[in-house]
Amino acid sequence: MSQKTFETLTETFMERVWNQLDTTVIDELIADEHVSYGVGDPIEGKPGWRGFHAAFTAAFSDIQITVEDLVVSGDKEASRWTGTMVHRASGTPVTLSGMIIIHIRDGQILEGYNSVDFLPMLVTLNLMPGDAVEKALTPA
């Protein structure tokens, strides 16, 4: 079976790095001076991405990321994605959704700006009460 080729770096990165767990593509797609923001501390360069990927896949298995929407403009790609996975410690299936804008230079991802909705996952794993947002928005 031949490997599917994608038109965008976003699709290639999501499919190969997350769905196929192919970390060799990090060296191909991540610029040496890369920085990603919005998922905790900034992820810096290829070593940072390898470490983030290792930590994430140690906590979650059966990861499947679907790019729901994608807009390309010049040297940027913006996408909305959904991810399903299983929390290894509890065996609980969880869902994440998010958006990312990547800045591309010379065919590699130079910067990533992430916004990830962790709340449904935290509620599913009983790490946050389901009514936390409602309580936070209730006037004192």
Side-chain angles (χ1 to χ4, degrees):
M1 176 171 21
S2 64
Q3 182 158 343
K4 182 177 179 179
T5 57
F6 297 96
E7 292 183 23
T8 68
L9 284 180
T10 299
E11 292 170 311
T12 302
F13 192 85
M14 295 296 197
E15 175 61 29
R16 290 186 57 200
V17 172
W18 292 115
N19 297 346
Q20 297 177 15
L21 303 178
D22 179 4
T23 56
T24 63
V25 78
I26 290 171
D27 288 331
E28 297 171 33
L29 299 183
I30 296 295
D32 290 333
E33 60 277 21
H34 171 89
V35 181
S36 279
Y37 304 95
V39 286
D41 291 335
I43 301 169
E44 298 183 15
K46 296 170 189 186
W49 256 105
R50 281 192 281 282
F52 178 78
H53 189 272
F56 199 89
T57 56
F60 297 97
S61 66
D62 303 323
I63 300 168
Q64 284 299 300
I65 306 294
T66 302
V67 176
E68 307 288 354
D69 290 302
L70 181 66
V71 177
V72 178
S73 179
D75 62 353
K76 292 189 173 65
E77 293 178 8
S79 64
R80 180 179 64 87
W81 56 267
T82 303
T84 59
M85 58 210 70
V86 175
H87 184 243
R88 288 185 188 272
S90 66
T92 304
V94 296
T95 301
L96 288 176
S97 61
M99 294 182 278
I100 183 170
I101 298 171
I102 63 170
H103 179 199
I104 300 164
R105 186 183 70 202
D106 298 328
Q108 292 185 310
I109 303 170
L110 181 62
E111 297 171 301
Y113 298 92
N114 297 274
S115 178
V116 181
D117 183 4
F118 289 103
L119 185 59
M121 178 188 73
L122 295 173
V123 170
T124 299
L125 295 174
N126 295 315
L127 298 173
M128 177 175 277
D131 61 353
V133 173
E134 183 179 327
K135 285 181 181 180
L137 297 176
T138 301

